[in-house]
Amino acid sequence: MAAISPQAFLRRVRGVELARLFDLMPDMSFFIKDRQGRFMAMNRRGCDYCGVKHEKDAIGKTDEDFFPHSRAAEYHADDEIVMRTGTPIVNRLESAPEAEGSPRLVMSSKIPLRDAEGNIIGIAGFSRQVEQVRSRSSGEARFAKVIEQMHQHPDEALSSAAMARMCGLSQSQFDRSFRRVFGSSARQYLLRVRVEAGCRRLAETEETVAALAVELGFFDHAHFTRCFRRIMGLTPAEYREQRVPKGTKRG
């Protein structure tokens, strides 16, 4: 038999069969969504999080069908960032999706999915629960307090020294370890959290961009706009215009 390259072999593999592998990982949630945020595939753990018995009960639906509005908006904002920029979210610590205010944390990742021409047509994501995160029994767990602080209070200015103290590390140890675990510096991570919070506020409120910049901890309107454009690929005003049709009343 003639030799076949790995790339050629993988092109022959049915994607649905690879997706089924995630059913064999009971501690791993896995899903695939299209550009409109509709679920195209989901494993058993993902079904548990969505509160459905079978994958077919979730196919074609979106996060809005299963989660509170604020939580669904966060997931949608993440999806948009990944699909717009082509940059994956890798190993981010966040609250587990089974309920608002869950004390459990999961490590989540999302990657863009491309067609044969290289166009982004959706995303694939997975998460796994971080066991005993409160007892700091793992390398990731030591950052739990810092990550929670960032997501709950993105406007607060946290210095590297302060974050290091929260983790019981020296500043140099903290900087190195955080980058190794999350793939970015703590400051870069915080800026992304602030931009994601900005996405939600732009879509759900009528606050001015300048007011949001101050509330989210940016230096000023210009700083917010630069960071937002770098991460989202468009300005806050452009994002709001795309997400909220003219004449729509926001709550």
Side-chain angles (χ1 to χ4, degrees), residues 7-174:
Q7 294 81 4
F9 177 82
L10 290 174
R11 283 196 294 269
R12 295 173 58 188
V13 177
R14 294 175 59 195
V16 66
E17 294 177 353
L18 291 178
R20 291 285 72 78
L21 286 173
F22 286 90
D23 280 335
L24 305 178
M25 302 177 184
D27 61 338
M28 181 80 73
S29 168
F30 170 78
F31 64 83
I32 292 176
K33 296 178 187 175
D34 65 8
R35 285 300 299 243
Q36 285 71 49
R38 296 173 298 204
F39 289 107
M40 296 289 105
M42 182 181 293
N43 75 341
R44 292 174 185 172
R45 184 59 170 163
C47 290
D48 291 341
Y49 281 146
C50 290
V52 298
K53 291 185 177 181
H54 307 288
E55 180 188 44
K56 63 181 177 61
D57 298 321
I59 299 304
K61 297 182 179 180
T62 70
D63 290 314
E64 287 281 358
D65 294 301
F66 304 112
F67 303 107
H69 177 70
S70 60
R71 174 85 42 106
E74 292 179 11
Y75 296 154
H76 180 75
D78 287 345
D79 297 348
E80 287 293 315
I81 290 172
V82 173
M83 289 189 289
R84 182 175 298 280
T85 66
T87 302
I89 293 174
V90 180
N91 290 340
R92 187 174 69 187
L93 200 62
E94 58 188 30
S95 296
E98 71 265 22
E100 288 281 17
S102 171
R104 297 196 292 178
L105 298 177
V106 295
M107 189 70 76
S108 297
S109 299
K110 293 181 178 180
I111 62 171
L113 294 179
R114 301 176 185 273
D115 62 16
E117 287 71 43
N119 302 307
I120 295 177
I121 59 173
I123 63 167
F126 63 87
S127 64
R128 60 182 177 82
Q129 187 174 328
V130 180
E131 299 292 345
Q132 299 178 318
V133 69
R134 304 299 181 186
S135 63
R136 301 189 179 190
S137 61
S138 70
E140 298 142 352
R142 68 174 54 191
F143 297 106
K145 189 174 181 180
V146 168
I147 296 299
E148 287 181 300
Q149 182 73 11
M150 288 183 183
H151 283 274
Q152 293 174 10
H153 305 284
D155 58 307
E156 292 188 3
L158 285 174
S159 67
S160 292
M163 288 187 282
R165 286 193 297 270
M166 292 171 70
C167 298
L169 297 171
S170 70
Q171 185 170 335
S172 60
Q173 288 174 324
F174 172 81

Side-chain angles (χ1 to χ4, degrees), residues 237-250:
E238 291 168 340
Y239 179 88
R240 171 173 273 169
E241 184 176 353
Q242 288 187 12
R243 289 293 307 281
V244 183
K246 291 182 178 181
T248 300
K249 184 177 179 58
R250 288 179 286 254

